[in-house]
Amino acid sequence: MANNKGLSDKVKGAVSKTKGEVKDQVGNAKNDQRLQEEGKLDKSKGNYQDRKGNLKDKI
């Protein structure tokens, strides 16, 4: 059986990174610094969730 302990975190991470990228790009297009910062935070959160999922898979 496949080890899917971290799958949920990896999916959440992918969603957060995608949402962050969209916010960052929209903020860039609208010259909205706050939206860009939110996007960068979401991407960081997504990277964390992805790493957490990878760690769970190794356990």
Side-chain angles (χ1 to χ4, degrees), residues 1-53:
M1 186 169 150
N3 186 356
N4 289 325
K5 292 180 191 175
L7 184 61
S8 175
D9 288 310
K10 289 180 184 180
V11 170
K12 289 176 187 175
V15 169
S16 291
K17 286 192 278 189
T18 302
K19 183 173 76 170
E21 183 62 30
V22 170
K23 283 183 179 181
D24 191 16
Q25 293 300 321
V26 170
N28 190 33
K30 293 174 68 177
N31 200 22
D32 184 341
Q33 190 70 27
R34 183 191 57 80
L35 195 56
Q36 283 181 296
E37 289 174 10
E38 280 183 29
K40 287 178 183 14
L41 284 173
D42 284 342
K43 287 192 279 187
S44 292
K45 177 182 173 184
N47 287 328
Y48 168 77
Q49 289 168 319
D50 196 35
R51 287 192 310 270
K52 183 178 170 185

